[in-house]
Amino acid sequence: TQLLEQSPQFLSIQEGENLTVYCNSSSVFSSLQWYRQEPGEGPVLLVTVVTGGEVKKLKRLTFQFGDARKDSSLHITAAQTGDTGLYLCAGEAGFQKLVFGTGTRLLVSP
Amino acid sequence: SQTIHQWPATLVQPVGSPLSLECTVEGTSNPNLYWYRQAAGRGLQLLFYSVGIGQISSEVPQNLSASRPQDRQFILSSKKLLLSDSGFYLCAWSLWGGQPQHFGDGTRLSIL
């Protein structure tokens, strides 16, 4: 069974701080996706990384796929209150489905 | 553009009652369809997925079942709900397996 463990599970910071969220597995994934979910809504895709070592930037968010394609990180620079939410990583687990990580709940206070 | 509709948004049901949650997708053909359950503030557990009409793959043994009577319609059902069936249920679609998934807004199911 492929598992994706995210850390930390919960993070509470002040506006303007930097943070990193980790997504780790013992399995290799052909691609990995990051989603953000607001309360009462479905997750929304942020980015997909495909190549080992790949780095993608989305404004203040930087995503990295590990060289061995077993792990990924999400770094947020100068967090804003609008970044608050549940962050989920998901790996391609076979032809038809994704396996989702355990989630990181981020709270950014003004 | 493609859209996904899931209803109802909230449901309160007594133990032992039946369940039917519906999900429809518009603007695409032959999508992969998925049902997930999410515990509060946690990741998503895949319950069922379907790659075509009438085809259902079950991921975990449980009290629930799924059906796909039409190409863009996915239904989650139960004959008799248990307390443990409470949770947030999400429907999603993708063009094919492993591709980014697009989610509905979910159904909050509470069993009393």
Side-chain angles (χ1 to χ4, degrees), chain B residues 49-57 66-71 73-74:
Chain B
Y49 68 93
S50 171
V51 300
I53 296 175
Q55 188 281 329
I56 305 293
S57 295
S67 62
R68 186 171 177 173
Q70 299 180 45
D71 181 42
Q73 184 185 28
F74 206 23

Side-chain angles (χ1 to χ4, degrees), chain A residues 9-31:
Chain A
Q9 190 173 330
F10 179 72
L11 191 55
S12 180
I13 60 172
Q14 297 292 119
E15 208 167 23
E17 292 184 37
N18 302 331
L19 66 116
T20 302
V21 175
Y22 299 93
C23 173
N24 295 301
S25 177
S26 58
S27 302
V28 175
F29 291 95
S30 53
S31 70

Side-chain angles (χ1 to χ4, degrees), chain A residues 9 33 35 37 95-97, chain B residues 32 34 38 59 97-98 101:
Chain A
Q9 190 173 330
Q33 300 161 21
Y35 294 79
Q37 184 180 18
F95 182 64
Q96 301 297 348
K97 55 190 179 181
Chain B
N32 279 12
Y34 304 86
Q38 184 177 30
E59 286 296 292
Q101 295 187 2

